[in-house]
Amino acid sequence: LLLCCGAGAALAAIFKAPITGVVFVLEILMLDITAGSVIPLLIASITATTMAFMLRGFDPILAVTLQPQDAFELWQIPLFILLGVCCGLMSWYFTSTNLRVGNFFRKIDSQYKKWLVGGAVLGILIFIFPPLFVGAFTGASIALLCNAFFDWDVSVVSFTLVGMAGVMSGVMKAPLTSIFLIAELSNGYGLFIPLMITACISFAVDYYLDPDSIYTKQLRQKGELLTHDKDQSVFVFLKLEELMETDFLRIKENMTLGDIV
């Protein structure tokens, strides 16, 4: 519970998003959701956010103000569905690539070699792709393509924000966290419908391709994954060699009833 309170409070303070801090813990970390656990989470998240407001002001971390032309319109629903599918595929690619890179670095025996290779690769990537914001890039790309080829005049700002939520939903397997985080980050509560559409579809696509999140993939490979399914989590701690009884007398086929008695 203290671990979850610390994680939720840190997330809430960093992004000035108290609801996101609580939802993140409930969706990813917390296994036992009761009133006795939710109340401390709320207190920790609110306290951390209040401290952040006192030290850094009330401005959101992303100073994005949605203009009237950025408002959601019903005819854009198919585009957000398409964005959700693209974000789901991008999430699967992101998680898979992250696992391959991790496996590659684990094969490097020297820590100094890891530093050199990692620093060089990261420097090259930052030089070629300065933002490294995968979700924002995905959403903005779709909006720019729609405007360039079909002259639909869709909002690049809206699609950028929704794309961030879409990829985050797939990578973290946390659609609610991604929805509330982007809404609280940008004060863009008018985007709730497209955020919900894109985050849910991205989650479904990525879950179909790979049920594990970026947090749980390596834990499942090690056999240490705990989930909200309490019955399944119990089996993680059970060791068959400790459950099997070996202190018994064997009955053989040539024994008589008297021998058994």
Side-chain angles (χ1 to χ4, degrees), residues 7 17 32 35 41 48 59 69 73 81 83 87 94 101 103 149 158 185-186 189 201 204 210 253 261:
D32 188 15
L41 287 174
D59 294 332
Q69 62 268 22
E73 298 181 17
I81 294 176
L83 178 59
C87 287
F94 183 93
V101 172
N103 293 333
F149 289 98
S158 298
L185 277 181
S186 60
Y189 290 95
I201 292 179
D210 186 357
E253 63 229 13
V261 173

Side-chain angles (χ1 to χ4, degrees), residues 62-126:
L62 289 179
V64 178
T65 302
L66 296 178
Q67 304 298 327
Q69 62 268 22
D70 298 323
F72 166 69
E73 298 181 17
L74 291 178
W75 69 269
Q76 297 175 347
I77 289 180
L79 295 180
F80 285 112
I81 294 176
L82 173 63
L83 178 59
V85 175
C86 294
C87 287
L89 296 174
M90 182 63 75
S91 303
W92 171 76
Y93 168 76
F94 183 93
T95 306
S96 302
T97 304
N98 180 78
L99 180 64
R100 294 193 188 99
V101 172
N103 293 333
F104 169 76
F105 272 91
R106 272 190 290 274
K107 295 178 182 178
I108 301 177
D109 52 356
S110 173
Q111 189 69 28
Y112 294 102
K113 291 181 181 178
K114 292 182 180 181
W115 293 343
L116 291 174
V117 175
V121 172
L122 186 60
I124 294 172
L125 287 176
I126 292 176

Side-chain angles (χ1 to χ4, degrees), residues 225-237:
L225 177 62
L226 300 179
T227 68
H228 291 281
D229 186 345
K230 294 188 175 71
D231 293 334
Q232 183 177 353
S233 297
V234 168
F235 283 106
V236 174
F237 296 105

Side-chain angles (χ1 to χ4, degrees), residues 17-229:
I19 300 177
T20 302
V22 175
V23 173
F24 170 79
V25 171
L26 296 179
E27 200 168 27
I28 295 180
L29 297 179
M30 183 68 73
L31 299 180
D32 188 15
I33 302 175
T34 61
S37 60
V38 172
I39 292 175
L41 287 174
L42 290 171
I43 295 174
S45 179
I46 293 171
T47 304
T49 307
T50 303
M51 292 294 296
F53 285 153
M54 292 172 57
L55 297 173
R56 303 204 314 259
F58 284 79
D59 294 332
I61 193 171
L62 289 179
V64 178
T65 302
L66 296 178
Q67 304 298 327
Q69 62 268 22
D70 298 323
F72 166 69
E73 298 181 17
L74 291 178
W75 69 269
Q76 297 175 347
I77 289 180
L79 295 180
F80 285 112
I81 294 176
L82 173 63
L83 178 59
V85 175
C86 294
C87 287
L89 296 174
M90 182 63 75
S91 303
W92 171 76
Y93 168 76
F94 183 93
T95 306
S96 302
T97 304
N98 180 78
L99 180 64
R100 294 193 188 99
V101 172
N103 293 333
F104 169 76
F105 272 91
R106 272 190 290 274
K107 295 178 182 178
I108 301 177
D109 52 356
S110 173
Q111 189 69 28
Y112 294 102
K113 291 181 181 178
K114 292 182 180 181
W115 293 343
L116 291 174
V117 175
V121 172
L122 186 60
I124 294 172
L125 287 176
I126 292 176
F127 179 77
I128 299 176
F129 306 105
L132 288 178
F133 291 123
V134 181
F137 175 80
T138 304
S141 297
I142 290 181
L144 292 173
L145 288 174
C146 290
N147 293 338
F149 289 98
F150 302 101
D151 196 25
W152 285 342
D153 193 27
V154 298
S155 171
V156 177
V157 175
S158 298
F159 274 74
T160 300
L161 293 173
V162 175
M164 292 168 63
V167 173
M168 187 186 307
S169 172
V171 171
M172 298 169 56
K173 296 295 189 297
L176 291 177
T177 299
S178 65
I179 292 170
F180 282 104
L181 178 59
I182 298 304
E184 288 188 294
L185 277 181
S186 60
N187 287 332
Y189 290 95
L191 294 176
F192 252 120
I193 293 179
L195 283 172
M196 294 169 67
I197 293 173
T198 302
C200 292
I201 292 179
S202 174
F203 171 82
V205 171
D206 188 68
Y207 189 86
Y208 174 78
L209 296 173
D210 186 357
D212 288 320
S213 71
I214 194 172
Y215 302 118
T216 62
K217 181 176 288 292
Q218 295 185 15
L219 291 175
R220 186 182 296 277
Q221 291 178 346
K222 296 178 182 178
E224 300 174 355
L225 177 62
L226 300 179
T227 68
H228 291 281
D229 186 345

